[in-house]
Amino acid sequence: MEDRETVPPPHPAQDITEHVGYRLKKAAAALRGAMERALREHDLTVPQYSCLEFLDEHPGMSNADLARGTFVTRQSANVVLRGLKDAGLITQATSTDHGRALPIHLTTAGQQHLHAARGAVYAIEERMIGNIPARRLTTLLADLDSMTEALDG
């Protein structure tokens, strides 16, 4: 078995907490926790909120498109969508004129629920990026996109 010292780290780091992946995971966990706490007051989970946001921006998305956009499996998306449907926040067509995908839309109650929760989520993002100068935020977003492309490609 190869020992850690024979494999050089990808960049200078004293320990695991200085690796990019660790810091990304730590930031993602902090964001998720803050969102869960805030969304609890709106009777939503993070995946439910994400679905509502996507449907607001892209009405008529399919289950599969929502699963991809919210980073969950199709099975998980089905569970999330069932909860949103039971709560009266979305509607889904029972048939379609073309293809097999059944389009999903927000109801009026879904729109209202989303708008109430959005303020809480945006406040979290404002807190998260508040100490990052605007000129660096653009670079940070580009860097995150580059990291994603490097791993997806």
Side-chain angles (χ1 to χ4, degrees), residues 15-126:
D15 61 34
I16 190 70
T17 64
E18 292 184 5
H19 285 266
V20 174
Y22 181 88
R23 297 281 177 96
L24 283 172
K25 184 65 176 173
K26 185 177 177 183
L31 174 61
R32 177 77 182 229
M35 287 180 67
E36 285 172 351
R37 288 186 297 277
L39 290 170
R40 214 173 285 134
E41 295 177 27
H42 299 277
D43 295 320
L44 289 172
T45 64
V46 173
Q48 287 175 327
Y49 172 80
S50 297
C51 282
L52 293 178
E53 277 285 11
F54 265 90
L55 287 170
D56 189 46
E57 288 185 17
H58 307 283
M61 288 183 88
S62 68
N63 290 31
D65 290 335
L66 279 167
R68 277 188 293 280
T70 58
F71 312 108
V72 298
T73 64
R74 288 172 71 173
Q75 294 84 350
S76 293
N78 287 335
V79 172
V80 170
L81 292 171
R82 193 172 319 117
L84 291 172
K85 196 181 300 182
D86 291 347
L89 303 179
I90 62 168
T91 60
Q92 186 170 23
T94 55
S95 64
T96 182
D97 293 338
H98 60 288
R100 293 182 3 198
L102 300 175
I104 305 165
H105 296 275
L106 293 178
T107 62
T108 301
Q111 279 280 358
Q112 293 167 344
H113 223 73
L114 171 60
H115 291 285
R118 185 180 278 155
V121 171
Y122 283 12
I124 291 166
E125 186 165 348
E126 284 178 25

Side-chain angles (χ1 to χ4, degrees), residues 125 128-147 149:
E125 186 165 348
M128 184 173 66
I129 64 171
N131 291 330
I132 300 173
R135 63 178 165 36
R136 285 190 42 220
L137 183 59
T138 301
T139 302
L140 172 62
L141 294 173
D143 289 345
L144 290 169
D145 288 343
S146 292
M147 286 186 253
E149 288 169 18

